[in-house]
C-alpha cells in the first residue's frame, strides 16, 4: 500500500458496554477508527489515541482484510483475520487463511509488522505477501 492510497477495513469493536461495527482506515503510515463518536488515530493499532491524547483501551478490535499471497509470480487470494486486545497490555493475534491452512502469530505489544513477519516466515518456500500493509514513517 502506498502512502497515497487509503484502505478501508470493516470489523467489530467490543467492550463492557457492548459491541458495534467499525470502519478502520489505513493510509500506509497511520490507522484510524471512529468509536462511539470519538476519533482514534495512531502510527500503530496499539497506539490509537484521540486528538486530546486519550488512549483506546479496555476493548477488543476484530477485522478481516484481503492479503494476497504470491507464489512463483502468481497471486492467490488469502484473508488476514486480526484480533487486537487493548488493556493493561496489548495483544495482537493474526491468522492468514490461505491454501486451506491458517498461518498464525500472536504478539504482545500490538506490533502489527512483527506479527506479519512471523506469519510470513511460516509460508511455504517461495511464497510472500502480495503487498505491504503498514509501513514505518
Amino acid at each position: 500500500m502506498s502512502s497515497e492510497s487509503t484502505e478501508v477495513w470493516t470489523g467489530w469493536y467490543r467492550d463492557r458496554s457492548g459491541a458495534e461495527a467499525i470502519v478502520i482506515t489505513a493510509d500506509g503510515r497511520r490507522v484510524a477508527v471512529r468509536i462511539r463518536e470519538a476519533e482514534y488515530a495512531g502510527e500503530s493499532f496499539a497506539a490509537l489515541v484521540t486528538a486530546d491524547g486519550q488512549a483506546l483501551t479496555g476493548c477488543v478490535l476484530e477485522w478481516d482484510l484481503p492479503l494476497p499471497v504470491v507464489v512463483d509470480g502468481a497471486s492467490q487470494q488469502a484473508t488476514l483475520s486480526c484480533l487486537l486486545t487493548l488493556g493493561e497490555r496489548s495483544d495482537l493475534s493474526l491468522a492468514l487463511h490461505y491454501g486451506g491452512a491458517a498461518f498464525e502469530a500472536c504478539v504482545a505489544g500490538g506490533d502489527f509488522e512483527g506479527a506479519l513477519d512471523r506469519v510470513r516466515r511460516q509460508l511455504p518456500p517461495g511464497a510472500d505477501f502480495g503487498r505491504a500493509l503498514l509501513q514505518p514513517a
Side-chain angles (χ1 to χ4, degrees):
M1 173 173 60
S2 72
S3 60
E4 292 88 33
S5 67
T6 298
E7 290 203 39
V8 177
W9 307 316
T10 59
W12 290 94
Y13 166 85
R14 290 182 178 80
D15 67 8
R16 290 181 185 166
S17 299
E20 68 178 61
I22 57 170
V23 175
I24 299 168
T25 58
D27 69 5
R29 291 198 170 116
R30 294 182 60 79
V31 293
V33 62
R34 182 178 186 86
I35 299 169
R36 299 189 180 130
E37 305 303 319
E39 295 280 345
Y40 294 87
E43 291 183 10
S44 72
F45 287 100
L48 293 169
V49 296
T50 60
D52 64 1
Q54 180 183 356
L56 182 59
T57 188
C59 65
V60 173
L61 300 178
E62 289 183 77
W63 69 101
D64 290 337
L65 59 106
L67 181 59
V69 173
V70 176
V71 180
D72 299 324
S75 183
Q76 301 177 18
Q77 289 184 314
T79 300
L80 184 67
S81 297
C82 311
L83 175 67
L84 176 64
T85 303
L86 296 170
E88 288 183 23
R89 70 178 215 184
S90 300
D91 292 314
L92 175 65
S93 298
L94 300 181
L96 181 72
H97 303 278
Y98 156 71
F103 302 89
E104 300 177 335
C106 298
V107 295
D111 177 10
F112 195 77
E113 286 299 320
L116 275 177
D117 187 52
R118 287 183 183 189
V119 170
R120 177 182 285 116
R121 288 182 287 178
Q122 296 173 45
L123 293 175
D128 200 358
F129 301 136
R131 64 190 177 90
L133 292 173
L134 297 177
Q135 303 182 13

